[in-house]
Amino acid sequence: MKTTPDAAPNMQDAKATGRDTRTAVLKRSIRTNVPLRKTFVQANAGGDSRHGPLKKFVTGRDLRGLKAYLLIVAACSNGDNGWSTTHDSMVWARMLDILETANDQSARTGAWRALIRLRDRHKLIDCRRSGTKITVTLLREDGTGKPYERPLGDTEEDRYLQIPATFWTTGRDEQLDLPGLAMFLVVAREKNWSPFPLEKAPEWYGWSADTHERGLNKLLALGLAERREKYITAPLAPAGFTKTYQYKRTAAVQPRKAKKTVAATQ
């Protein structure tokens, strides 16, 4: 009896995507939510400036670097390997979606350069190479170059926001441009239904009111933030009040509650 040979295996169909790689990294770190010190987004009041390290990514138009940094925090902040993680440079390239637009060697180089920027320009990580392997170690989120410690939230400098792992595993990160990702972190830093006035953006965060507005509109368009009107008494205004807007993250990107483990009954 004549048989039909099996179709030739297709390596391309089996190849992991960037999202596959990010998901695998998050599963290995065993995190439901990723902690990030609030000082990365905005410095605490009382200093010379309210600008946090996030400002440099926005004004430098470094979306790849910002995405890389957030992934490194997700991969390293459980502390199992001394706040470090090691991958082949090709895995780093795929994790950062560099392989989509570059050949293998260029992708390896692009991944290393992105990590070097985080080390030398931002002082947020340390990194080293051994052959094709790259090891990255977290430093403190405030850009001081100090060693990383897990934030506990018991002091003002140690307060942190949380990003759910599903932000990456469901592809929410892939939808955001640089203003959108920056404003996602800004909204996540504050309590639900906080105002983010456009005119305060240069003073509070270090970027323009236009960038601020575009980021907020991006979050609303993608269903990652909600907005409501708030009326404030203003005796000297013609109408006697002014209108402002308040924002909060939608349920899709709120921190997840850790699953409770149920003890086995005997």
Side-chain angles (χ1 to χ4, degrees), residues 172 176 180 183-184 186-188 190-196 213 215-230 244-256:
R172 304 287 186 183
L176 287 170
M183 290 309 300
F184 171 76
V186 167
V187 174
E190 306 300 336
K191 297 178 180 179
N192 286 342
W193 301 124
S194 291
F196 301 101
E213 184 175 31
L216 287 170
N217 287 338
K218 187 72 170 181
L219 295 180
L220 294 171
L222 293 173
L224 303 183
E226 298 177 50
R227 182 175 71 183
R228 72 180 185 186
E229 295 177 349
K230 174 74 173 179
T244 186
Y245 291 108
Q246 298 176 325
Y247 299 81
K248 75 168 185 175
R249 284 188 279 180
T250 58
V253 285
Q254 288 282 359
R256 299 298 192 259

Side-chain angles (χ1 to χ4, degrees), residues 130-223:
S130 178
T132 63
K133 297 283 189 179
I134 300 177
T135 297
V136 172
T137 303
L138 272 183
L139 299 176
R140 196 173 175 92
E141 297 99 321
D142 56 11
T144 60
K146 295 178 181 177
Y148 181 85
E149 294 178 345
R150 181 184 286 114
L152 301 177
D154 51 359
T155 66
E156 191 66 22
E157 292 293 330
D158 222 24
R159 306 290 185 197
Y160 61 92
L161 60 91
Q162 295 188 88
I163 306 171
T166 52
F167 176 71
W168 291 276
T169 60
T170 60
R172 304 287 186 183
D173 61 310
E174 301 164 27
Q175 301 174 297
L176 287 170
D177 56 11
L178 187 53
L181 183 53
M183 290 309 300
F184 171 76
L185 295 173
V186 167
V187 174
R189 186 188 189 280
E190 306 300 336
K191 297 178 180 179
N192 286 342
W193 301 124
S194 291
F196 301 101
L198 303 183
E199 67 275 11
K200 290 292 187 179
E203 177 187 350
W204 287 359
Y205 305 106
W207 52 74
S208 69
D210 179 66
T211 295
H212 205 70
E213 184 175 31
R214 285 190 288 121
L216 287 170
N217 287 338
K218 187 72 170 181
L219 295 180
L220 294 171
L222 293 173

Side-chain angles (χ1 to χ4, degrees), residues 9-55:
N10 190 333
M11 289 187 296
Q12 203 61 34
D13 290 343
K15 195 170 184 178
T17 65
R19 191 188 301 182
D20 291 335
T21 305
R22 291 187 286 273
T23 298
V25 166
L26 286 161
K27 285 184 176 178
R28 193 170 76 168
S29 68
I30 318 175
R31 298 216 70 99
T32 302
N33 300 298
V34 176
L36 180 71
R37 278 183 176 83
K38 292 184 176 184
T39 50
F40 173 73
V41 179
Q42 183 185 42
N44 294 321
D48 295 333
S49 171
R50 295 300 309 276
H51 303 167
L54 178 59
K55 170 194 171 181

